Amino acid sequence: MFSTLVLPPELVADDVIAVRDQVSARIAAVLRPKSGKRREGDAPLPRGVELLAALPPHIDRPWKRFDAATTELQGFRSMRASAQADRRHAAASEAERSAANIDSDDRWRAFEQWNAGAAGLSDDGEAPAPSEARWLYAQLFPAPDGLRFITRRPRVQWTAMVQRMKTLEEQRAQAVIEGFGGTRHHRQLVAAHARFGDAYGFTAVAAAKEGGRGQTDGRPQWSAARDALRSLIQKIESHADPEIPGSEALAAFLLAPYVEMVDDLARSRRRAPARKAEAVSAPPVEAGGTP
């Protein structure tokens, strides 16, 4: 008897969703098809359970409420899982942006130091002349700003870096790089530049930042589904009447998934290692609210 129904304290959302699916299958099994005949492959109904044109109204209404509440709970869990995955992806992308920015800044500092060293040499008659290194330095790090472009906002920094990278592709700049041993510096700068462009979405599609997408507190949906389940079980149980043929068999048939779940939770409880008793006023709730 479930007249004073107390749901198992271990009950979680997966249990409620599973009961919904099982009860849904049983309701579908007892409703008479439009053709009036069951298909040959349909599972046989238990003794005493007859096909119905429709559920009794006092069962149909709470069933629809339970189905709707559980569907909303399931949708919320799916949305929350998607939002959590988005946040994890966004966090990983943000970490990559930070790392790419630091890498780019370090490579530009190293290149500036190399270029400044070449530009500081005295003219010894060899080619390329130090004056060519001074020309390249003036193109990349003009006074008074010098290296300040690497401290700008990403979009401003990117534009400034693209302009300088184009300068480095010129034949005159390449002669300076090769002549003063800056090939390694340049190669690492090119790699860092490409990484920066990918991370910030200038040369590849970057993950969009999601601001506050999706609520994380599913307690309203969880409470609604629990209340709807309790009401449905009580209504089905009250349908059983010895004076109404088939009512007890139908009630037992529809209640079976819930009874099975309660027994399963009880077995799990007995198998669990003994722990010090704790006062529990509500079922366990995941971070975010929904079990």
Side-chain angles (χ1 to χ4, degrees), residues 16-25 63 66-67 70-71 74:
V16 174
I17 293 169
V19 167
R20 187 276 311 272
D21 293 343
Q22 290 175 300
V23 174
S24 177
W63 158 247
F66 173 58
D67 186 35
T70 307
T71 298
Q74 193 171 23

Side-chain angles (χ1 to χ4, degrees), residues 19 31 62 75-77 94 118 147 149 174 185 187 203 205 212 251 255-256 289:
V19 167
L31 294 180
F76 168 81
R77 283 160 57 85
E94 191 61 40
L147 256 177
F149 67 90
Q174 286 295 310
H185 291 75
R187 184 170 61 248
T203 55
V205 177
L255 287 173

Side-chain angles (χ1 to χ4, degrees), residues 127-166:
S131 60
E132 287 296 287
R134 289 191 284 275
W135 164 82
L136 180 60
Y137 191 91
Q139 297 296 310
L140 302 179
F141 314 106
D145 291 337
L147 256 177
R148 197 172 298 170
F149 67 90
I150 66 174
T151 66
R152 308 299 188 193
R153 290 182 294 109
R155 288 180 177 81
V156 177
Q157 179 177 343
W158 173 253
T159 301
M161 292 192 303
V162 167
Q163 175 187 343
R164 287 162 172 77
M165 296 302 289
K166 288 181 178 178

Side-chain angles (χ1 to χ4, degrees), residues 75-256:
F76 168 81
R77 283 160 57 85
S78 176
M79 180 191 70
R80 187 181 63 181
S82 177
Q84 289 172 340
D86 287 343
R87 285 194 293 274
R88 287 191 294 270
H89 183 59
S93 299
E94 191 61 40
E96 170 57 16
R97 291 188 189 103
S98 177
N101 185 48
I102 293 172
D103 186 30
S104 175
D105 292 352
D106 288 347
R107 299 290 70 75
W108 274 109
R109 290 190 185 96
F111 196 88
E112 187 273 341
Q113 291 171 4
W114 163 81
N115 197 169
L121 293 174
S122 60
D123 193 350
D124 53 8
E126 294 187 21
S131 60
E132 287 296 287
R134 289 191 284 275
W135 164 82
L136 180 60
Y137 191 91
Q139 297 296 310
L140 302 179
F141 314 106
D145 291 337
L147 256 177
R148 197 172 298 170
F149 67 90
I150 66 174
T151 66
R152 308 299 188 193
R153 290 182 294 109
R155 288 180 177 81
V156 177
Q157 179 177 343
W158 173 253
T159 301
M161 292 192 303
V162 167
Q163 175 187 343
R164 287 162 172 77
M165 296 302 289
K166 288 181 178 178
T167 298
L168 290 172
E169 293 173 0
E170 296 176 5
Q171 184 175 357
R172 186 176 179 182
Q174 286 295 310
V176 173
I177 292 171
E178 294 174 8
F180 288 98
T183 301
R184 189 173 179 182
H185 291 75
H186 180 244
R187 184 170 61 248
Q188 292 190 8
L189 182 62
V190 169
H193 182 75
R195 183 182 182 186
F196 187 99
D198 287 347
Y200 283 94
F202 298 117
T203 55
V205 177
K209 293 184 178 180
E210 300 288 347
R213 177 187 170 190
Q215 70 181 92
T216 59
D217 186 359
R219 284 174 291 186
Q221 293 87 344
W222 172 234
S223 179
R226 283 170 52 89
D227 290 344
L229 173 61
R230 183 184 296 107
S231 176
L232 175 64
I233 298 304
Q234 290 173 329
K235 293 295 185 181
I236 295 175
E237 183 253 350
S238 68
H239 177 72
D241 187 339
E243 297 182 3
I244 302 177
S247 63
E248 291 178 303
L250 176 62
F253 183 62
L254 297 180
L255 287 173

